Amino acid sequence: MQCNIGFPERIPWLPEKTVKIGCIIEKTGLFFDHIEDSSKVAMPLNPNMQEDATRLRAKPMSNHIAIRRTLVGILIFDQVEVLDFAGPFEVFATTRLDESRRAETESPFDIRLIAEHRRPITTTGGMMVVPHHDFTDCPELDILVVPGGKGARREINNPVLMNWIRDRSDGFSLLAGVCTGAMLLGKAGLLDGLRATTHWRSLNWMRDSFPAVMVVEDEFVVDAGSVITSAGISAGIDMALQLVLRYHGQDVARAAARYMEYPFPENSRRRILEGLTQS
């Protein structure tokens, strides 16, 4: 497969000084290992990438494409809500950069399930799930997804979990709280001064527990930059699609939703809001 290179292209969802350099995307670490026309490769704005661009120019063309996959950790615990973690897992696993080669390629996301102990956990409803890692051998993650569920009300008082989230937070590019998983982020002090949301039945709980958090009632997904939170259960799918869009653009995110036969969220309006206002 060849990689057709054009002139630098502004990518609207990346920072102002990040540009698409041939097939190098500085923010995501995505790069291809060959270039069809090196004369069209622009030098990156970041001087530290000059050497990489020169090296890529000189490499012979091959049929192999090297991709740095984004490492996503999804926390699980006893009595976690199934769709809170399985919904985002499915979105990330389903994503492809080239929909026409879906069967031949893998997701740009590498997803791992993380638990306090490496033993099967039991979800709400009785599903048993085996984590990939425990807290002691968890690799450095790009994204941590924290789901909710009945077990979240227990885990919010688990000092081991709270310390792990707090201690590791500086190493994550992004934290994501699904449903009452946002309460765990709040307890760790990671939502202070930020806009956030949670399951509609827990909005008052969030407001009462974390007065420094700007609780948003009418949005399904609240993007506060390095922290993103969602409403209840199914909202984790919308949140994950928003992250796919952030990392790989709207076309890729829409293709993932289409493959899942899930309506792509055109806005962040909370879907349950109308029923709440009428009750």
Side-chain angles (χ1 to χ4, degrees), residues 156-194:
I156 202 169
N157 296 310
N158 178 354
V160 175
L161 175 61
M162 288 296 104
N163 288 334
W164 183 79
I165 294 176
R166 192 180 297 112
D167 293 344
R168 296 289 297 268
S169 61
D170 288 342
F172 304 134
S173 298
L174 192 143
L175 284 165
V178 182
C179 193
T180 52
M183 297 298 296
L184 302 183
L185 298 181
K187 180 70 171 183
L190 301 175
L191 298 182
D192 289 354
L194 300 178

Side-chain angles (χ1 to χ4, degrees), residues 81-137:
E81 186 69 43
V82 173
L83 199 57
D84 279 17
F85 78 88
F89 192 109
E90 180 67 17
V91 171
F92 293 129
T94 293
T95 300
R96 294 293 185 276
L97 298 182
D98 184 351
E99 191 65 28
S100 68
R101 301 182 64 245
R102 167 168 290 278
E104 308 156 47
T105 58
E106 61 183 358
S107 170
F109 297 97
D110 182 359
I111 314 109
R112 313 286 180 87
L113 298 177
I114 317 296
E116 182 177 349
H117 305 288
R118 190 179 286 193
R119 58 168 176 76
I121 66 96
T122 304
T123 72
T124 56
M127 179 189 294
M128 298 189 71
V129 182
V130 180
H132 296 96
H133 302 282
D134 61 24
F135 289 173
T136 63
D137 71 351

Side-chain angles (χ1 to χ4, degrees), residues 13-30:
W13 42 272
L14 292 182
E16 180 62 25
K17 290 190 176 181
T18 304
V19 296
K20 186 175 179 181
I21 312 302
C23 281
I24 304 170
I25 300 180
E26 183 181 346
K27 179 171 177 69
T28 64
L30 179 69

Side-chain angles (χ1 to χ4, degrees), residues 195-198 203 206 214-219 222 270:
R195 300 171 71 251
T197 195
T198 186
L203 290 168
M206 174 176 275
M214 294 175 278
V215 179
V216 180
E217 296 187 0
D218 60 352
E219 294 181 28
V222 176
R270 188 183 289 261

